[in-house]
Amino acid sequence: FDLIEANFMDQTIKKYDTFEQLCDYCKLSANPVGRLVLAAFGAYNEENAKLSDMVCTSLQIIEHLQDIAEDYAEGRIYLPKEDLEKFHVKESMLAGKARTSNAKSKLFDFSHEISTTPDEIKRLLSFECGRARQLMLEGSALLNTLPSAASKVAIAGFIGGGLAQLEAIEKYNYNVINIEIKASKISVVLSSLKMFARTYLYKTVAYEPRNGSMEKDTSPDLDNYLKKMGFLPKSYISRWLR
């Protein structure tokens, strides 16, 4: 029913004044999908649902960012008005030739486009990408609570795909107005594997202190964990997993 209500909103509401209003829309258009996935894996509870909501809201925002020109052509603007004003971006500046509906992801992508996007839009999209990434990384704590490897793989794929798309937008210098930007398949796979690997590195670890008693180290510090596992904190693996 939330998804149906979101569909009606798309037909009647074309713009959002604040980020909070946009998040309220995402509660209807994106978050229910994540909750259905949790239920399918038998992992639904209130705490997991909150983390899933962060991931799904972030994914919806990322989709909006890559579809700015296409949405504008259809009369919709999913960038909050308060952000447009903050970064001095006029609505007319969102017009462009990029159409991402039928864009296909390449296996590899080593190209770098020269961006013709105005600096105001670059600063705005840098801000929006940062906010989406923060939501995604906070929600990624969900991976540590999932009951099975299958559920971890599935959710890591969603999270990894979103983060890879953010990196692709940044790689192309936020030129989403003029070109179709989609993360390469390899970057999605690598990003997803990274998130999956981190679920096991962040688990609570039993270790033996100097006094000989067994205690639990619940610190989420990745460097400390890798050091105990035999990796150097400054190693390539540590940096890559971060």
Side-chain angles (χ1 to χ4, degrees):
F1 287 112
D2 284 345
L3 292 171
I4 293 171
E5 185 175 347
N7 185 275
F8 281 118
M9 288 180 67
D10 277 333
Q11 299 176 51
T12 57
I13 301 176
K14 306 298 183 182
K15 302 175 184 179
Y16 295 87
D17 291 332
T18 67
F19 182 67
E20 288 70 25
Q21 290 179 2
L22 183 63
C23 287
D24 287 340
Y25 165 72
C26 293
K27 288 178 183 178
L28 303 174
S29 66
N31 296 0
V33 178
R35 293 181 176 227
L36 288 170
V37 171
L38 289 179
F41 283 112
Y44 183 88
N45 58 54
E46 286 303 314
E47 188 60 35
N48 282 356
K50 291 178 182 177
L51 295 172
S52 172
D53 288 349
M54 292 182 186
V55 171
C56 291
T57 294
S58 177
L59 287 172
Q60 181 77 84
I61 292 171
I62 294 168
E63 183 179 358
H64 291 160
L65 294 179
Q66 71 182 93
D67 293 343
I68 289 176
E70 187 171 2
D71 288 334
Y72 181 80
E74 297 177 359
R76 299 191 183 107
I77 298 177
Y78 290 105
L79 294 168
K81 181 180 178 181
E82 63 180 5
D83 294 346
L84 293 175
E85 293 176 349
K86 178 179 179 180
F87 291 95
H88 309 290
V89 175
K90 297 179 180 179
E91 291 182 2
S92 59
M93 297 169 66
L94 304 178
K97 61 182 180 180
R99 298 292 182 270
T100 55
S101 294
N102 298 316
K104 294 183 179 180
S105 178
K106 301 176 183 178
L107 182 59
F108 298 97
D109 187 5
F110 300 111
S111 58
H112 291 270
E113 291 279 343
I114 297 175
S115 177
T116 56
T117 304
D119 289 340
E120 294 88 348
I121 293 183
K122 290 179 184 178
R123 287 191 286 269
L124 168 63
L125 294 185
S126 176
F127 172 75
E128 301 294 353
C129 286
R131 184 152 59 181
R133 179 177 282 107
Q134 181 179 352
L135 265 176
M136 185 72 77
L137 292 177
E138 288 180 9
S140 68
L142 172 65
L143 291 169
N144 296 325
T145 68
L146 295 174
S148 65
S151 60
K152 291 178 187 291
V153 168
I155 304 302
F158 288 123
I159 296 172
L163 293 174
Q165 182 59 36
L166 285 174
E167 290 175 2
I169 293 173
E170 292 164 348
K171 169 187 173 183
Y172 280 91
N173 207 10
Y174 309 103
N175 198 15
V176 294
I177 305 296
N178 300 306
I179 60 174
E180 300 169 351
I181 299 177
K182 235 178 179 185
S184 69
K185 294 177 182 178
I186 290 297
S187 66
V188 171
V189 170
L190 290 176
S191 183
S192 301
L193 286 174
K194 180 190 297 187
M195 298 310 301
F196 181 73
R198 287 178 60 159
T199 65
Y200 292 96
L201 289 175
Y202 273 99
K203 280 186 174 181
T204 300
V205 186
Y207 71 100
E208 187 173 355
R210 291 180 179 179
N211 60 14
S213 62
M214 294 299 292
E215 296 180 3
K216 294 285 185 180
D217 177 14
T218 57
S219 170
D221 188 282
L222 181 59
D223 285 342
N224 287 339
Y225 184 88
L226 289 171
K227 190 173 183 179
K228 291 169 191 170
M229 295 294 292
F231 295 110
L232 293 176
K234 301 296 183 182
S235 70
Y236 171 79
I237 293 177
S238 175
R239 291 197 303 273
W240 184 77
L241 286 172
R242 280 201 180 283

